[in-house]
Amino acid sequence: MNTTRQKIVTIIAGTASIVSLQMFGFFDLPEPRIFSSSKNLEILTSIWNDLPANAELNKTSTHRSSKQYIPPVASNPRRTIGSGSRGCRQSLTNDLVTLLIPSEEYAGQTISGHPTFFWHLSQPVSVPMRFALVEPGVAKPLFEKQIDSPQAGMIQLQVPKDRPELQTGRTYKWSVTLVCNTKRPSANPVFISWIERVSTPAALETQRLSTPAKNNVPTQVWRDRAWSYAETGLWYDALAAMSNVQTANSNELGINDDFLALLEQVGLTQVTQQERLDVAKRP
């Protein structure tokens, strides 16, 4: 191992020296020969790929220049819909319910057959909240669940494994409803968005990210996995992976920041500001 790393250091130092000499005019090379160090880079890549499996984490981190959510190129245009709040007795603010979605204009994507959904409450509510997942054209919901008197903050809900899984290539509607008026359901405030299940991108197949990670995988690997999902447009999978890390490592520095950074990238700043205030108030 020491010999291998010495080779890496030697190659990097040699390449850096050549570039420096070229910058200061010591080498007057023709334009095409600027890339003459590519052979060294090929050797370096070969040695790097031969490093043992426990070095995989460092390889992943090195290749990522920035961490960001990249929207899918081909997405199903879907407009998020919201109704009024005339059925509720309590005063409802405009930001009471915020669905944690990447956009109101298109369906967020997932590769999971049983995805996890997220939304945020700016204050507790005294009425039940009902979640529903529906396949367009099918009367019976694929999954629905009622949450009684939910508290303020992040709420997440995963489709149980015993329910039929989402089909690849299909888009589903999901909604969160405040059940204020049981006699007039149409009067209840409802917040609607869409989710599309897609095939696993080739980039993730090569990284073996299409299957769940084991429980003993280091935290940083989980975090890298979450950002890999985000970079391939898999919004729901990225949030779920970050949430899993956050739950398992709630006291670790930077875990919550990843989750909030992803939300901020798509404009959910009101949610992140409130979450940071809530964290600051905790003892």
Side-chain angles (χ1 to χ4, degrees):
M1 173 61 70
N2 291 334
T3 302
T4 300
R5 297 195 179 278
Q6 287 175 359
K7 290 181 181 179
I8 295 175
V9 173
T10 302
I11 293 172
I12 292 176
T15 303
S17 299
I18 293 172
V19 174
S20 299
L21 290 171
Q22 291 176 353
M23 291 176 62
F24 288 98
F26 288 100
F27 283 176
D28 186 16
L29 298 178
E31 185 68 21
R33 294 190 62 189
I34 292 176
F35 301 98
S36 61
S37 60
S38 61
K39 184 61 178 178
N40 283 344
L41 293 178
E42 291 175 5
I43 298 173
L44 177 59
T45 301
S46 176
I47 295 175
W48 191 264
N49 289 334
D50 288 338
L51 290 177
N54 58 12
E56 185 68 28
L57 171 60
N58 294 328
K59 291 164 59 179
T60 303
S61 301
T62 301
H63 287 299
R64 178 177 291 115
S65 58
S66 61
K67 298 178 179 180
Q68 59 182 334
Y69 167 71
I70 301 177
V73 176
S75 58
N76 242 333
R78 298 280 180 169
R79 178 69 181 175
T80 297
I81 305 171
S83 75
S85 57
R86 58 189 180 276
C88 288
R89 295 179 180 178
Q90 68 181 105
S91 176
L92 300 179
T93 60
N94 291 333
D95 64 345
L96 174 63
V97 179
T98 302
L99 305 184
L100 302 190
I101 56 177
S103 172
E104 294 183 351
E105 304 297 334
Y106 63 84
Q109 293 186 342
T110 182
I111 58 173
S112 174
H114 299 90
T116 301
F117 298 86
F118 297 81
W119 63 94
H120 183 270
L121 279 182
S122 62
Q123 64 186 50
V125 293
S126 58
V127 298
M129 176 173 283
R130 185 175 65 247
F131 170 88
L133 177 63
V134 178
E135 181 178 0
V138 180
K140 185 178 180 180
L142 190 67
F143 171 63
E144 60 182 340
K145 182 177 179 64
Q146 180 166 301
I147 304 172
D148 295 324
S149 303
Q151 298 300 305
M154 299 284 186
I155 299 178
Q156 69 179 75
L157 185 63
Q158 182 179 15
V159 178
K161 299 295 185 182
D162 61 353
R163 297 301 176 97
E165 67 175 32
L166 275 62
Q167 298 300 305
T168 302
R170 294 186 184 180
T171 301
Y172 300 79
K173 180 175 70 174
W174 66 280
S175 62
V176 173
T177 304
L178 294 176
V179 186
C180 305
N181 191 330
T182 56
K183 296 182 179 180
R184 292 185 57 200
S186 61
N188 293 327
V190 57
F191 305 85
I192 298 174
S193 191
W194 305 84
I195 182 171
E196 178 185 13
R197 188 182 182 190
V198 297
S199 301
T200 303
L204 297 188
E205 288 284 9
T206 58
Q207 297 179 47
R208 298 179 181 179
L209 296 182
S210 58
T211 55
K214 297 179 181 179
N215 294 330
N216 60 352
V217 172
T219 299
Q220 186 59 45
V221 174
W222 270 108
R223 294 173 73 175
D224 283 347
R225 164 177 285 227
W227 283 112
S228 292
Y229 286 142
E231 289 172 347
T232 50
L234 300 173
W235 174 262
Y236 292 94
D237 305 284
L239 276 186
M242 288 182 180
S243 177
N244 289 338
V245 176
Q246 190 175 5
T247 300
N249 306 275
S250 58
N251 296 324
E252 186 169 331
L253 183 64
I255 295 299
N256 192 54
D257 289 342
D258 277 356
F259 191 93
L260 298 182
L262 183 59
L263 299 183
E264 287 177 338
Q265 287 181 11
V266 296
L268 296 172
T269 53
Q270 287 187 337
V271 173
T272 60
Q273 289 172 0
Q274 184 168 349
E275 280 296 298
R276 288 194 171 97
L277 286 175
D278 292 342
V279 171
K281 293 177 183 177
R282 295 173 188 171

